[in-house]
Amino acid sequence: MSPQIDEKLETMYQEVLKRNPGEVEFHQAVAEVLESLSPVISKHPEYLERKIIERICEPERQIIFRVPWQDDNGQVHINRGFRVEFNSALGPYKGGLRFHPSVYLGIIKFLGFEQIFKNSLTGMPIGGGKGGSDFDPKGKSDDEIMRFCQSFMTELYRHLGEHTDVPAGDIGVGGREIGYMFGQYKRITNRWEAGVLTGKGLKWGGSLVRPEATGYGATFFINEALKVRKESFDGKTCLVSGSGNVAIYTIEKIHQLGGKCIACSDSNGVIVHEKGLDVELIKQLKEVERRRIADYATFHKDAKYIANGNIWDIPCQVAMPSATQNEINGKDAKTLVKNGCIAVGEGANMPTTPEGIKVFLDAKIAYGPGKAANAGGVATSALEMQQNAQRDSWSFEFTEKKLEGIMVGIHQLCYDTAEEYGAPGNYVVGANIAGFIKVADAMVAHGLV
């Protein structure tokens, strides 16, 4: 496998491959963390003795279940539901639910594994988990979505609880879906347990800044990384892939910080608007009318739509991949660097392939990996849990300030840890080691469980 993995860790990695055949995204996520851990095991031999790494790579619980539901024509459909409760050393399992046809166990495990370290970096008392289904919400009516969500929660509810496992949204799961699932949970349990799901509506226990949190947080992180280099967003040309929740609020915050975002995308193509994207129009098209990004060009005649285009071919100084895993490959990374890109902040989970990451690190650009850069979403979910526990509701400004403080703290932690372990400026090493050590120490403290 990877030449960067230490010999002792390589044996563990081979065991992961053997125990989890075919789960390529999970293998990739594990390899990416193990590549950073060699100096840690030299300094902390107790982690090897107690088999911390082997234990961290094995989920505490993996739940797979059938989700039957009926469409508007009376046809019955069967989907598969997942919840991987990966690690609870730091707190209850916390991580989103993804509804997308690509979902299978390997995707959920990669996301859950990443979530352990991401949640650790936030400094909040939350463990790592993830879930979802291979259900495709695209093109479904509200009633069909409701019936699916109710069926999904009818099984999942028995595994949840504010002190056990607290899901949120992810791709394909927004406020509407969380609402239907919360309603079903309440109906089955006869409990108004606000802290059992995050990403709720503002009128019934949700938190201000939660929709904006991942995008705002990723932008705050890269803003800090630019400051270290005596740079800022001011006047920078930026690209943001995707046009969902993360992308929209990344674009919004970039504009607030003085940058100009000129392109975004969806699964059909790319929209380029040299004057700067109209974020209010994107919100209307995507969040309200659920239309394709191609329709943007009908409102702005000076914008250009490229069907099936590659957003990373467009020259920029800051790139924020905010769509899905492995969207930037080695070739894309080389193009970005060649075109003058100085910073990459991952709003999505693992959007860059290992080849792409190597290109960014070799070029010494400011590269913020997802587990650090996009931790703002789960951090604000934890803030929502705090408000629920206190039966309280905070203002937008207060919550955004807390989010910014958390992201500044994550950046500093990753930066300092990279320095300490001999890889200055390498946020991948910093994030992996800082996230890992906190969880490992908790696992040592809890004994063999």
Side-chain angles (χ1 to χ4, degrees):
M1 199 326 237
S2 167
Q4 288 103 343
I5 294 188
D6 178 280
E7 208 176 308
K8 293 190 195 82
L9 296 170
E10 179 65 41
T11 311
M12 296 174 203
Y13 180 67
Q14 291 306 323
E15 190 59 26
V16 167
L17 295 184
K18 200 168 94 189
R19 288 170 78 95
N20 305 277
E23 297 173 2
V24 290
E25 297 85 359
F26 178 51
H27 302 161
Q28 184 184 333
V30 170
E32 197 254 307
V33 171
L34 294 190
E35 281 173 9
S36 302
L37 294 186
S38 184
V40 179
I41 57 170
S42 306
K43 202 169 173 182
H44 297 275
E46 70 273 18
Y47 296 161
L48 282 182
E49 287 158 30
R50 296 191 173 145
K51 297 273 170 85
I52 294 294
I53 293 166
E54 291 92 330
R55 283 158 60 194
I56 233 168
C57 291
E58 186 64 34
E60 290 172 14
R61 192 175 295 109
Q62 302 180 60
I63 302 144
I64 304 178
F65 52 96
R66 181 177 67 204
V67 189
W69 61 281
Q70 205 165 28
D71 68 21
D72 290 341
N73 300 317
Q75 294 286 319
V76 172
H77 301 265
I78 312 294
N79 284 96
R80 185 173 279 183
F82 302 90
R83 188 71 181 168
V84 174
E85 296 177 332
F86 224 115
N87 191 291
S88 59
L90 297 179
Y93 310 106
K94 183 90 198 76
L97 297 168
R98 175 175 294 194
F99 292 170
H100 192 272
S102 66
V103 165
Y104 78 108
L105 189 58
I107 294 248
I108 299 300
K109 277 163 73 173
F110 122 62
L111 291 166
F113 185 75
E114 286 266 294
Q115 200 77 43
I116 301 168
F117 308 106
K118 183 189 302 186
N119 293 1
S120 167
L121 288 171
T122 67
M124 313 293 264
I126 42 179
K130 205 79 184 186
S133 172
D134 55 4
F135 171 75
D136 188 359
K138 266 198 201 120
K140 306 286 192 300
S141 71
D142 281 356
D143 282 349
E144 288 171 330
I145 301 269
M146 180 180 75
R147 286 193 289 272
F148 175 81
C149 288
Q150 288 177 339
S151 180
F152 183 81
M153 187 50 84
T154 299
E155 173 56 35
L156 187 63
Y157 90 94
R158 68 189 80 244
H159 306 289
L160 307 183
E162 58 187 310
H163 303 299
T164 307
D165 187 353
V166 183
D170 191 78
I171 292 170
V173 177
R176 170 182 58 172
E177 291 76 14
I178 294 288
Y180 291 146
M181 286 189 273
F182 184 79
Q184 186 72 349
Y185 181 88
K186 181 167 63 80
R187 179 192 202 180
I188 294 169
T189 61
N190 193 32
R191 289 198 301 271
W192 177 276
E193 212 177 303
V196 81
L197 277 168
T198 57
K200 299 183 294 297
L202 283 175
K203 292 175 182 166
W204 47 279
S207 171
L208 285 161
V209 192
R210 181 60 195 90
E212 295 86 354
T214 309
Y216 277 20
T219 315
F220 285 141
F221 184 95
I222 291 301
N223 197 41
E224 291 303 303
L226 288 168
K227 275 186 203 169
V228 165
R229 294 161 178 254
K230 309 282 187 284
E231 295 272 7
S232 73
F233 270 104
D234 206 31
K236 298 279 189 297
T237 299
C238 308
L239 306 176
V240 177
S241 65
S243 50
N245 172 279
V246 179
I248 287 170
Y249 293 104
T250 300
I251 297 164
E252 184 168 276
K253 185 51 73 178
I254 286 170
H255 288 176
Q256 287 172 14
L257 293 173
K260 183 171 73 166
C261 190
I262 61 163
C264 69
S265 60
D266 63 14
S267 52
N268 295 90
V270 179
I271 200 84
V272 185
H273 197 180
E274 294 291 347
K275 263 180 20 189
L277 292 169
D278 177 348
V279 77
E280 292 308 315
L281 174 59
I282 299 169
K283 283 183 192 177
Q284 181 64 28
L285 291 174
K286 285 295 189 177
E287 296 184 332
V288 180
E289 299 174 28
R290 300 182 190 278
R291 287 161 68 174
R292 308 308 288 157
I293 202 66
D295 295 344
Y296 182 101
T298 61
F299 294 86
H300 286 285
K301 300 300 179 198
D302 55 339
K304 184 172 67 171
Y305 177 67
I306 309 163
N308 304 313
N310 183 351
I311 192 168
W312 310 121
D313 289 341
I314 301 162
C316 71
Q317 288 148 302
V318 180
M320 306 285 281
S322 307
T324 191
Q325 67 269 7
N326 292 330
E327 55 174 299
I328 296 181
N329 59 29
K331 182 169 168 284
D332 298 328
K334 282 178 185 152
T335 303
L336 282 165
V337 170
K338 189 176 93 214
N339 284 338
C341 182
I342 61 165
V344 175
E346 296 188 338
N349 292 307
M350 206 169 74
T352 311
T353 65
E355 297 74 29
I357 293 171
K358 186 174 184 319
V359 171
F360 293 147
L361 295 179
D362 288 349
K364 301 258 188 294
I365 69 167
Y367 167 62
K371 63 171 67 70
N374 73 36
V378 74
T380 308
S381 277
L383 297 178
E384 183 176 328
M385 290 162 73
Q386 277 184 32
Q387 291 167 78
N388 294 157
Q390 296 165 359
R391 298 278 193 269
D392 199 357
S393 184
W394 304 338
S395 72
F396 190 96
E397 294 71 23
F398 180 80
T399 315
E400 188 183 358
K401 210 76 208 132
K402 280 186 99 69
L403 167 65
E404 186 175 4
I406 289 166
M407 296 312 298
V408 169
I410 291 173
H411 173 271
Q412 196 61 51
L413 177 62
C414 295
Y415 187 82
D416 292 346
T417 306
E419 286 268 341
E420 185 191 338
Y421 282 88
N426 186 327
Y427 294 109
V428 176
V429 167
N432 286 337
I433 292 180
F436 173 80
I437 285 176
K438 193 173 174 196
V439 178
D441 287 345
M443 290 173 74
V444 169
H446 295 168
L448 188 54
V449 292

